[in-house]
Amino acid sequence: MDFCTANWYPMGDAYYRKFDLYQMEWNVKEEFKDCLIAVGPYGGPIAFMKNYLTKERASSSRPVLEIYTASGTLLSSLPKWKSGQVLQLGWTVSEDLICIQEDGTVLIYDIFCVFKRSFTMGNEVKQNLLQEAKVFHSEYRTGIAILTGALKFTIVSNIEEVKLCRMPDVPGPKVPPSCWAVLLQDRMALILVAIGKDLYLLDNTACSVITLPGLSPLSGAYLHMSVSFHYKYLAVFTDSGYIWMGNSSLKEKLCELTSDIRQPPKQMSWCIRPRSKQIAVVVLWDKVLLIAGRAKENILFPLDEETFMVSELDGVRLISHSTHEFLHEIPKATEEIFKIASMAPGALLMEAQKEYEKESQKADDYLREIKDQNLLPVAVAKCTEAAGYEHSAEMQKSLLRAASFGKCFLDSYSPSDFVTMCHDLRVLNAINEYQIGIPLTIVQYKQLTVPVLLDRLVLRRLYPLAVKICEHLKIPEFQGVSRILAHWACYKVQQKEKSDEEVAQAINQKLGDTAGISYSEIASKACDCGRTELAIKLLEYEPKSEDQVPLLLKMKRSNLALGKAIESGDTDLVYTVVSYMKHEFNRGDFFMTLQNHPIALSLYRQFCKHQEPETLKDLYNQDDNHLELGNFHVRSSYYTEKSVEGRVAELQNAVDEYNKAKNDLATKVTEDQIKLLRIQRSLQEKIDKPYLDCSLHDTIYNLILDGMQKKAEQLYKEFRIPDKRYWWLKISALAEKEDWEELENFSKTKKSPIGYLPYVEICMKQRNKVEAKKYIARVSPEQRVKAFLLVGDLDQAAEAAIEHKNENEMNMVLSKCSSVTDSSAAEKIERAKAQLLKK
């Protein structure tokens, strides 16, 4: 295993190594110092701005913006920069490029140099210009900190929600800071500023003088400072070559050392592996790279060419004109297996597997040694873990073969970790390919997560690879393939070289009815690109009307939207379209459109009936619908008019409309209502009692109660009320009034059209048995049993039932008899029933 450790460099208890990620074949001839460079974390792209210092207007010398993959493949370029002087480049957490100009304007481009949006850092910056700017990242946000020409600091903590935060001024004379950095504490951005030998910490409200704990009194003036990837640690470099390392809380020193090189470094970056106890800072000069930590000895790398350094979660990327390298601490699992003369379980398992391939007896010896210590599960786990840390596919295979070999000798081993590692490495190797150029380590991959990786592949338009990864990892279709295909379709509609029909068919053929696909979102993208007809064709494949209609309205296709809304059967959707059309169309066109859609017209009428009655009237007038106009005037007479005159006028309008509609019944009823209204008003004025809005039935009833018999009689004749209804009304009112004399007189006026049983019922309702008995003799024979039962005379009821020889009536009387008080009546009935049975 000696060849594996040839590029290992010891420092204290840890080892570090530097290996090639790619041989760069890009077209970058300019020196890095003459360019603005920004490299995205997690294997992100590389942005170059050449000629950025030129202020000439000649097109040949204008700044050129180029974006490359980490492998040096050109992704996009902006050959003629036409905006202002750019001071700083940076990347957002979603891989958008940030270009910060000296006038404070911030331009944001996507990875293909397509402009997305811009904002400004305030008017003060325009006056004083920028002196320096830094882009920083929190967990889910990207922020910007600037230093103006007036030596004032401003921070934007989140560029998605731009809120300028002016930081307090540094006390003392106005001197440009020698270096400064952004710190993150409790989700709040702070600025640590160094001026000579003094340190100041700026927060939102105050400026504090800071003394680093354990700082050497001979340290000198600060020249450079660096914050770790997760803003947990801080390192500073002074003009005496002194390096201080500690927590970014500025409360604890981790270590210190003095370098032989005292000139200001070009860059300084932390090189820490998560969950490792080791700390290290990488310092870059023109020709030398220094790795320093707690150990007394340091690691020095001579540099053959100009290098740019990028901090990562678990190491440092080193980019030069010809190579792209990765420097990191050797993980413990790897160290145990490959360290010279290692007797760790993983190392023995590797040797056992190699001897097994040679068909050597030593394989059994190594295995026995591991099994005797009960460490075979540990050995398998270590080999599996170490495979993830290797960049070389061959080394990954060797370690996985050893793990696979070892797990064959375990009785109860869960292969899930092994299988997961195989899947993850296959994904990592695929994206590490030169054509893709995303060199993620297993640690970065786990931190970044698969969904974010898929987003980055989609961002680069690597749709086939993203789909393959989803299928390989068996990601649910809704979260994986469907989402990617939707992005592909949105990109497809931007390609204008093909006809709308071809693009729509290609998209539908590819997507079909895939779960989670929203054709409306794709159509919306087509609409944004100015391809309205393509958007309409795509909407035909959208199954949800509630997604179709809003976009059709947005495209001014209201007739089509109305048809879709009606087809859906969703009345709310129809109302939405009708409301839109009402505001967009003139009144005539709006009504004519509704005429062509009866369902929409009916719904709109319902709406107008409750909300806009005058509009409803206009609709009926346009249709010459006299019947509905008459109904409209009737409703208006009750709901809108308060005075009797107004109501009568509305009802008279209704009569006119009903006449035009040749509806005799409606005309007669409405005329009667007018007549009744006038009578009620006259009565109300005469006796000062509420008669208005009473029905004809209630009016007559109240007249009888009020003793106005003649008036009631007049209404009975005038409105031709049926005799039976009038008789019921009158006897009910007289009984309620307890005018028994009048009731008796009325019963004698002429033969009752309703018979005389109702007289008995009405009297008993008022609990007057005496009056009720007066009418029993006049009740017809077939109803007399009921009459006797109503007044509680069971004996007479029994005799009447026996006289009629009606078994049903006998049973009815028998059911009312009590065994104690009505025994005689019951006996009579029983005897009568017995005689009937004998016959």
Side-chain angles (χ1 to χ4, degrees):
M1 297 184 195
D2 294 354
F3 72 94
C4 297
T5 60
N7 63 343
W8 289 19
Y9 297 89
M11 190 176 75
D13 297 332
Y15 290 85
Y16 292 82
R17 68 176 168 186
K18 180 163 65 82
F19 58 84
D20 287 352
L21 294 173
Y22 304 105
Q23 293 297 315
M24 306 295 277
E25 297 181 3
W26 53 8
N27 186 31
V28 178
K29 307 300 181 185
E30 293 81 3
E31 293 188 12
F32 289 172
K33 65 181 181 181
D34 296 330
C35 301
L36 285 178
I37 306 175
V39 183
Y42 295 101
I46 306 169
F48 274 93
M49 179 165 276
K50 305 172 183 178
N51 302 327
Y52 80 100
L53 290 174
T54 183
K55 294 188 178 180
E56 299 178 19
R57 295 192 176 183
S59 59
S60 59
S61 59
R62 280 181 181 167
V64 177
L65 177 63
E66 295 177 339
I67 298 177
Y68 296 86
T69 66
S71 59
T73 303
L74 183 65
L75 281 173
S76 60
S77 66
L78 207 60
K80 296 179 181 180
W81 182 261
K82 296 181 181 179
S83 192
Q85 181 77 41
V86 178
L87 190 71
Q88 182 70 36
L89 297 179
W91 290 95
T92 68
V93 290
S94 56
E95 289 200 321
D96 286 330
L97 181 64
I98 301 174
C99 302
I100 306 173
Q101 298 183 163
E102 65 177 0
D103 63 356
T105 303
V106 180
L107 308 175
I108 299 179
Y109 293 81
D110 69 10
I111 204 169
F112 292 102
C113 288
V114 176
F115 176 76
K116 296 183 73 173
R117 60 190 178 89
S118 66
F119 61 90
T120 179
M121 297 296 287
N123 293 325
E124 180 190 340
V125 181
K126 289 184 179 180
Q127 298 172 1
N128 298 307
L129 300 182
L130 288 186
Q131 190 177 90
E132 200 172 347
K134 294 182 187 292
V135 177
F136 61 93
H137 304 105
S138 57
E139 191 170 0
Y140 303 108
R141 299 177 299 176
T142 302
I144 296 174
I146 61 168
L147 173 64
T148 68
L151 303 180
K152 298 180 184 295
F153 288 96
T154 301
I155 280 183
V156 172
S157 297
N158 183 5
I159 63 170
E160 300 301 326
E161 299 175 3
V162 178
K163 293 179 182 178
L164 300 177
C165 178
R166 168 78 180 277
M167 306 302 278
D169 293 338
V170 178
K174 295 291 184 181
V175 180
S178 51
C179 58
W180 59 280
V182 178
L183 307 180
L184 294 179
Q185 294 180 6
D186 298 327
R187 296 186 178 183
M188 186 170 67
L190 312 175
I191 295 180
L192 184 65
V193 183
I195 299 177
K197 296 182 180 182
D198 299 321
L199 275 180
Y200 302 92
L201 185 66
L202 311 182
D203 60 21
N204 292 341
T205 57
C207 172
S208 309
V209 179
I210 296 295
T211 301
L212 297 176
L215 185 73
S216 170
L218 303 175
S219 59
Y222 300 102
L223 296 180
H224 202 95
M225 60 178 66
S226 172
V227 184
S228 62
F229 189 83
H230 278 320
Y231 295 86
K232 187 177 179 181
Y233 301 112
L234 171 72
V236 296
F237 185 94
T238 69
D239 59 1
S240 64
Y242 175 81
I243 301 174
W244 180 94
M245 287 177 262
N247 288 334
S248 61
S249 63
L250 309 177
K251 294 178 180 178
E252 180 184 357
K253 182 180 80 172
L254 299 175
C255 66
E256 62 181 359
L257 66 137
T258 302
S259 165
D260 295 333
I261 306 174
R262 298 189 177 185
Q263 67 188 72
K266 290 172 59 179
Q267 285 181 274
M268 191 161 69
S269 182
W270 285 83
C271 183
I272 306 175
R273 186 171 56 83
R275 294 184 296 277
S276 172
K277 295 181 180 180
Q278 302 297 321
I279 61 168
V281 169
V282 183
V283 190
L284 175 69
W285 288 277
D286 285 333
K287 297 295 183 181
V288 176
L289 187 76
L290 170 69
I291 305 176
R294 285 194 176 99
K296 293 181 180 179
E297 66 276 12
N298 301 322
I299 302 174
L300 279 173
F301 286 106
L303 300 175
D304 297 329
E305 54 185 338
E306 193 177 16
T307 301
F308 186 83
M309 191 161 59
V310 184
S311 179
E312 287 285 4
L313 174 66
D314 55 344
V316 175
R317 287 157 64 194
L318 303 169
I319 302 171
S320 67
H321 283 83
S322 61
T323 60
H324 190 161
E325 300 172 296
F326 187 66
L327 170 65
H328 72 125
E329 177 195 341
I330 304 292
K332 285 299 177 185
T334 306
E335 182 183 333
E336 289 176 2
I337 293 172
F338 293 112
K339 190 175 180 180
I340 297 173
S342 173
M343 296 298 290
L348 295 176
L349 184 58
M350 278 285 289
E351 292 300 327
Q353 193 273 332
K354 288 180 181 179
E355 295 299 332
Y356 174 76
E357 288 184 346
K358 297 175 185 177
E359 299 182 358
S360 169
Q361 179 65 31
K362 291 181 180 180
D364 185 59
D365 296 338
Y366 285 125
L367 271 176
R368 286 184 182 277
E369 185 172 349
I370 301 170
K371 294 181 76 174
D372 289 345
Q373 302 176 59
N374 293 322
L375 292 176
L376 188 54
V378 176
V380 172
K382 290 294 183 181
C383 287
T384 304
E385 180 187 351
Y389 298 129
E390 294 301 319
H391 180 71
S392 164
E394 289 303 317
M395 191 59 71
Q396 293 169 4
K397 290 177 184 177
S398 296
L399 288 161
L400 289 174
R401 276 196 294 267
S404 180
F405 175 70
K407 69 185 180 69
C408 293
F409 299 94
L410 291 171
D411 296 330
S412 57
Y413 176 77
S414 173
S416 58
D417 290 343
F418 180 83
V419 172
T420 300
M421 182 59 74
C422 291
H423 287 165
D424 291 344
L425 287 177
R426 192 169 182 184
V427 171
L428 288 175
N429 290 336
I431 62 175
N432 282 340
E433 287 290 331
Y434 183 85
Q435 295 84 353
I436 309 300
I438 305 178
L440 286 181
T441 64
I442 190 73
V443 176
Q444 296 168 20
Y445 171 72
K446 295 292 185 184
Q447 179 71 19
L448 191 65
T449 71
V450 173
V452 177
L453 173 61
L454 292 175
D455 287 342
R456 296 196 169 193
L457 292 174
V458 167
L459 193 67
R460 289 164 169 77
R461 300 171 187 166
L462 300 171
Y463 306 109
L465 177 58
V467 169
K468 287 290 184 185
I469 289 175
C470 289
E471 293 171 348
H472 176 66
L473 297 178
K474 297 180 180 178
I475 296 173
E477 193 174 61
F478 182 80
Q479 300 174 4
V481 175
S482 295
R483 189 165 62 92
I484 293 162
L485 289 177
H487 281 288
W488 166 81
C490 290
Y491 170 65
K492 189 78 174 173
V493 299
Q494 300 175 53
Q495 299 175 338
K496 298 186 178 180
E497 61 272 10
K498 292 188 177 181
S499 69
D500 294 342
E501 187 68 35
E502 287 176 322
V503 173
Q505 287 182 357
I507 290 174
N508 180 247
Q509 187 176 0
K510 189 78 172 177
L511 305 186
D513 296 326
T514 306
I517 292 291
S518 173
Y519 279 96
S520 61
E521 292 181 5
I522 304 167
S524 179
K525 188 68 176 179
C527 177
D528 293 341
C529 296
R531 304 186 70 173
T532 305
E533 292 304 319
L534 173 58
I536 293 171
K537 291 180 185 297
L538 289 170
L539 281 177
E540 291 298 323
Y541 302 117
E542 174 57 58
K544 297 179 181 178
S545 298
E546 62 266 28
D547 292 337
Q548 290 178 316
V549 169
L551 187 56
L552 287 170
L553 293 178
K554 180 182 176 183
M555 295 186 292
K556 309 292 185 183
R557 300 301 177 97
S558 48
N559 277 316
L560 189 55
L562 185 57
K564 294 291 183 184
I566 293 170
E567 286 176 18
S568 72
D570 186 339
T571 54
D572 288 341
L573 208 55
V574 177
Y575 279 130
T576 299
V577 180
V578 170
S579 176
Y580 170 86
M581 294 172 69
K582 180 183 175 184
H583 291 94
E584 289 294 317
F585 291 13
N586 63 54
R587 198 176 186 84
D589 291 343
F590 173 59
F591 286 167
M592 288 301 297
T593 303
L594 290 183
Q595 290 292 339
N596 297 326
H597 297 87
I599 296 175
L601 179 59
S602 176
L603 288 170
Y604 185 60
R605 284 173 178 166
Q606 290 294 325
F607 168 78
C608 291
K609 186 181 289 186
H610 300 288
Q611 302 292 333
E612 299 178 4
E614 287 303 316
T615 304
L616 183 63
K617 181 181 175 182
D618 293 342
L619 278 171
Y620 293 145
N621 271 320
Q622 184 174 4
D623 296 345
D624 290 332
N625 192 336
H626 298 294
L627 179 61
E628 287 298 339
L629 276 170
N631 295 339
F632 172 81
H633 287 301
V634 170
R635 282 194 297 270
S636 296
S637 73
Y638 284 95
Y639 296 136
T640 59
E641 293 294 337
K642 302 298 182 185
S643 67
V644 175
E645 293 80 3
R647 291 169 64 179
V648 168
E650 283 292 337
L651 289 173
Q652 189 58 55
N653 291 334
V655 169
D656 295 340
E657 295 298 338
Y658 288 140
N659 281 325
K660 292 176 183 178
K662 297 180 180 180
N663 191 321
D664 296 336
L665 175 62
T667 302
K668 182 67 172 65
V669 170
T670 310
E671 287 174 343
D672 285 349
Q673 182 62 27
I674 294 172
K675 191 189 303 180
L676 179 62
L677 265 178
R678 286 171 173 160
I679 292 170
Q680 288 175 338
R681 179 181 62 179
S682 175
L683 289 170
Q684 191 161 304
E685 290 173 352
K686 184 177 180 181
I687 62 175
D688 195 24
K689 281 192 176 182
Y691 274 90
L692 276 174
D693 293 328
C694 290
S695 65
L696 178 60
H697 178 290
D698 291 341
T699 302
I700 293 175
Y701 193 89
N702 289 333
L703 284 171
I704 296 169
L705 288 178
D706 291 337
M708 302 174 72
Q709 308 287 347
K710 289 183 179 180
K711 191 65 177 176
E713 190 81 19
Q714 179 187 343
L715 293 183
Y716 153 60
K717 293 175 181 178
E718 192 171 339
F719 288 96
R720 297 179 183 178
I721 297 174
D723 290 345
K724 287 185 178 181
R725 183 185 299 178
Y726 179 66
W727 245 254
W728 266 109
L729 277 173
K730 188 160 185 177
I731 66 173
S732 298
L734 290 172
E736 182 180 340
K737 189 181 177 184
E738 296 185 354
D739 191 348
W740 306 114
E741 182 181 351
E742 182 62 30
L743 180 62
E744 187 176 358
N745 292 335
F746 180 63
S747 71
K748 295 176 182 178
T749 54
K750 65 177 181 178
K751 185 179 179 180
S752 171
I754 59 173
Y756 292 94
L757 181 63
Y759 283 80
V760 178
E761 292 173 345
I762 290 296
C763 291
M764 290 307 298
K765 188 176 179 182
Q766 299 298 325
R767 292 183 173 83
N768 194 331
K769 188 181 293 187
V770 174
E771 290 294 328
K773 287 182 178 181
K774 290 180 181 179
Y775 303 100
I776 292 179
R778 301 169 68 182
V779 174
S780 61
E782 62 271 12
Q783 293 181 323
R784 198 163 292 162
V785 173
K786 280 187 182 179
F788 280 124
L789 289 175
L790 283 170
V791 298
D793 193 342
L794 294 177
D795 287 330
Q796 292 291 333
E799 288 179 5
I802 293 169
E803 183 182 344
H804 297 155
K805 298 180 181 180
N806 188 318
E807 189 176 356
N808 290 333
E809 289 182 349
M810 292 180 191
N811 290 332
M812 184 167 60
V813 176
L814 194 60
S815 66
K816 300 289 184 179
C817 291
S818 169
S819 59
V820 178
T821 59
D822 308 310
S823 57
S824 62
E827 288 174 3
K828 287 180 186 178
I829 292 173
E830 291 294 349
R831 285 197 299 270
K833 286 177 69 177
Q835 290 176 1
L836 284 174
L837 288 173
K838 288 178 182 181
K839 294 179 181 180

